[in-house]
């Protein structure tokens, strides 16, 4: 009996070893051993020869790239939850299926969101740097030194009450925050009741009345600069903003201006508008203790990355077994 030919799978970045081993066992997999981001010409060459492209969120899979794909490319199996870097409609026009890896990073991202909700008001990063970077400055405990702001009893406004936003709300409630949220649709009554959450149809009104804002909505054309200059100025001078979603949801230039002018007390950011570049003005604000900055690591756990890899494998195997992959992304849902 003739052995079924393995699909040729092109993987754009280094993945956990256990995932890469599984890929090599099941597919004709081309790995990225040194983890150097693939250039656009390299991606063009890949789509002309591979049956499956496995991109990550930093790879730009636009219409121009997809139009250069060979007829053999039938699947773009994204190693990511979001697919804002992929032109799903262009892929659909070429008969190429797109999949993602949803629902595996919820808890990890919510953990880091909660960490930033704590870190910004309580000046955690600033305090840690005093011991490591400014040795000798700490003279011991003092009643008025390094005072931050209490989070217990404060109002948390969640922008985007999906899976991650709901997971953040559960953690925040345990820390004594009252939950407020703005979403395209109101969540189920039992979820709202369990979280004792207040729904705001108007984002503007919510922003003006909460102490901490957590950005947890997806990145879409509709959410680009959702937190605009006008909306940021609605926030209270004592308030904080945390973003673990996508950098473009906040107008970064406007945020820097508000922080510099004291219109917002502080921020915790894991994502940036022009990644991997970080605005030097943000770095300066971080050095001054006004913001906590992380290098897009809210979902970075070994367990989470392995779970993502397993979803990619399942999507590829299901597709080439002639069935609809479980995590197919349709254009209307992007």
């Amino acid at each position: 009996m003739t052995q079924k030919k393995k699909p040729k799978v092109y993987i754009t970045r280094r993945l956990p070893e256990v995932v890469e081993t599984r890929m090599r066992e099941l597919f004709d997999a081309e790995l990225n051993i040194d983890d150097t981001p693939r250039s656009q010409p390299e991606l063009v060459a890949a789509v002309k020869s591979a049956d499956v492209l496995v991109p990550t969120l930093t790879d730009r899979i636009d219409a121009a790239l997809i139009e250069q794909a060979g007829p053999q490319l039938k699947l773009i199996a994204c190693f990511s939850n979001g697919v804002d870097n992929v032109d799903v409609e262009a892929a659909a026009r070429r008969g190429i299926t797109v999949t993602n890896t949803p629902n595996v990073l919820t808890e990890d991202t919510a953990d880091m969101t909660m960490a930033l909700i704590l870190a910004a008001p309580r000046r955690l990063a600033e305090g840690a740097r005093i011991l490591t970077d400014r040795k000798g400055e700490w003279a011991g405990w003092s009643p008025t030194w390094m005072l931050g702001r209490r989070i217990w009893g404060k109002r948390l406004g969640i922008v985007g009450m999906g899976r991650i936003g709901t997971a953040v709300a559960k953690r925040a409630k345990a820390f004594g925050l009252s939950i407020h949220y703005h979403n395209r649709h109101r969540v189920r009554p039992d979820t709202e009741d369990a979280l004792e959450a207040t729904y705001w149809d108007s984002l503007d009104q919510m922003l003006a009345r909460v102490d901490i804002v957590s950005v947890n909505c997806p990145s879409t054309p509709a959410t680009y600069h959702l937190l605009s200059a006008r909306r940021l100025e609605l926030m209270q001078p004592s308030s904080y903003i945390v973003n673990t979603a996508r950098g473009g949801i906040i107008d970064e230039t406007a945020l820097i201006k508000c922080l510099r002018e004291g219109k917002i007390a502080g921020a915790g950011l894991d994502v940036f508008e022009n990644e991997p570049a970080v605005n030097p003005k943000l770095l300066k604000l971080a050095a001054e203790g006004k913001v906590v900055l992380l290098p897009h690591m809210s979902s970075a756990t070994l367990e989470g990355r392995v779970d993502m890899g397993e979803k990619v494998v399942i999507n590829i195997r299901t597709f080439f077994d002639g069935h609809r992959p479980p995590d197919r992304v349709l254009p209307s849902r992007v």
Side-chain angles (χ1 to χ4, degrees), residues 180-196:
H180 300 253
Y181 75 97
H182 170 77
N183 205 42
R184 285 184 302 170
H185 306 290
R186 196 162 182 166
V187 300
R188 290 164 46 116
D190 57 336
T191 301
E192 204 171 84
D193 291 344
L195 295 171
E196 299 178 60

Side-chain angles (χ1 to χ4, degrees), residues 66-79:
I66 290 169
E67 285 304 312
Q68 297 180 74
Q72 83 297 325
L73 183 69
K74 296 300 181 184
L75 177 65
I76 298 174
C78 300
F79 186 88

Side-chain angles (χ1 to χ4, degrees), residues 254-269:
L255 175 62
I256 291 168
K257 185 174 184 289
C258 286
L259 289 165
R260 179 60 63 201
E261 295 177 355
K263 294 178 179 178
I264 297 175
L269 306 175

Side-chain angles (χ1 to χ4, degrees), residues 120-199:
R122 293 303 305 272
R123 304 173 68 180
L124 297 188
E126 190 181 356
R129 283 197 302 272
I130 286 171
L131 296 180
T132 57
D133 301 344
R134 292 148 61 182
K135 294 177 182 178
E137 181 175 321
W138 186 48
W141 181 86
S142 167
T144 57
W145 187 69
M146 283 296 294
L147 297 182
R149 298 297 298 269
R150 174 186 293 168
I151 69 162
W152 182 89
K154 296 296 192 297
R155 298 178 295 271
L156 173 66
I158 296 174
V159 181
M161 195 72 149
R163 290 184 179 88
I164 294 174
T166 301
V168 170
K170 290 176 181 177
R171 287 157 173 77
K173 185 175 184 293
F175 275 83
L177 289 130
S178 63
I179 308 304
H180 300 253
Y181 75 97
H182 170 77
N183 205 42
R184 285 184 302 170
H185 306 290
R186 196 162 182 166
V187 300
R188 290 164 46 116
D190 57 336
T191 301
E192 204 171 84
D193 291 344
L195 295 171
E196 299 178 60
T198 300
Y199 173 67

